[in-house]
Amino acid sequence: MSDTQPSPTLAELVLQVRKTREYGRLTDAIPYARFMGIGVEHLAGEMLCRMTYTPKLIGNSFLPALHGGTLGALLECSAIFELLLQTETQRVPKVISLTVDFLRSGKAQDTFARAFITRQGRRVANVRVEAWQDDRTRPIASANALFLLSEP
């Protein structure tokens, strides 16, 4: 007989992380976030996502610049984590639409993102996200997303 506890469901894990703010437990449970090096941190009184730089994130090796898909992944994950941790949703929100604006090249370094819920209803939510590197006032990408929170 094993003394190990079964792993909590994602809904149970989200409820625990909402209380404890141990964000690493949530991001570690999501293989895609782990692969991309995307984590959630509580810095300066706010929840931020960080995509830790690794060479696999480079899209243009001549500059070098981050691949646009990696920035899109960071923006989408940031929005999802914001919804999971700041709302009462019991399941992972589904993307209805995601529009990304690439504002400048992303350098070969860590990238941060902050999501803001601009409107939330019973079934859908609108989220705005900005990503930056050295200077938060000079974002490298932004996104507007619409998510389905629950089925009708």
Side-chain angles (χ1 to χ4, degrees):
M1 300 193 76
S2 175
D3 290 337
T4 60
Q5 297 276 335
S7 297
T9 65
L10 184 61
E12 293 167 338
L13 183 59
V14 168
L15 288 174
Q16 293 170 6
V17 171
R18 284 177 187 158
K19 292 177 187 173
T20 64
R21 291 189 175 179
E22 294 174 11
Y23 301 124
R25 292 181 60 209
L26 179 59
T27 56
D28 287 348
I30 301 171
Y32 186 66
R34 272 197 328 263
F35 175 77
M36 295 298 295
I38 297 172
V40 179
E41 302 174 6
H42 198 261
L43 300 171
E46 64 183 346
M47 192 179 75
L48 301 176
C49 281
R50 177 197 302 250
M51 183 170 65
T52 304
Y53 171 74
T54 60
K56 69 183 176 193
L57 302 176
I58 294 295
N60 183 335
S61 58
F62 292 109
L63 292 179
L66 295 176
H67 190 283
T70 66
L71 292 173
L74 172 63
L75 295 166
E76 180 180 342
C77 285
S78 181
I80 290 171
F81 289 138
E82 182 75 10
L83 289 168
L84 282 173
L85 296 170
Q86 303 301 329
T87 69
E88 297 299 317
T89 186
Q90 295 294 310
R91 65 185 193 92
V92 176
K94 293 182 182 177
V95 177
I96 296 171
S97 68
L98 176 72
T99 303
V100 177
D101 295 317
F102 298 101
L103 306 172
R104 52 186 53 87
S105 293
K107 297 179 267 184
Q109 65 187 59
D110 288 4
T111 306
F112 299 89
R114 173 70 169 103
F116 303 90
I117 300 169
T118 55
R119 186 162 192 261
Q120 180 189 345
R122 285 178 286 128
R123 289 190 226 161
V124 297
N126 293 320
V127 183
R128 179 176 54 86
V129 190
E130 290 185 348
W132 69 93
Q133 290 181 316
D134 295 323
D135 182 354
R136 189 175 191 165
T137 64
R138 293 181 43 84
I140 61 171
S142 65
N144 287 297
L146 180 63
F147 289 91
L148 180 64
L149 300 176
S150 65
E151 299 293 335

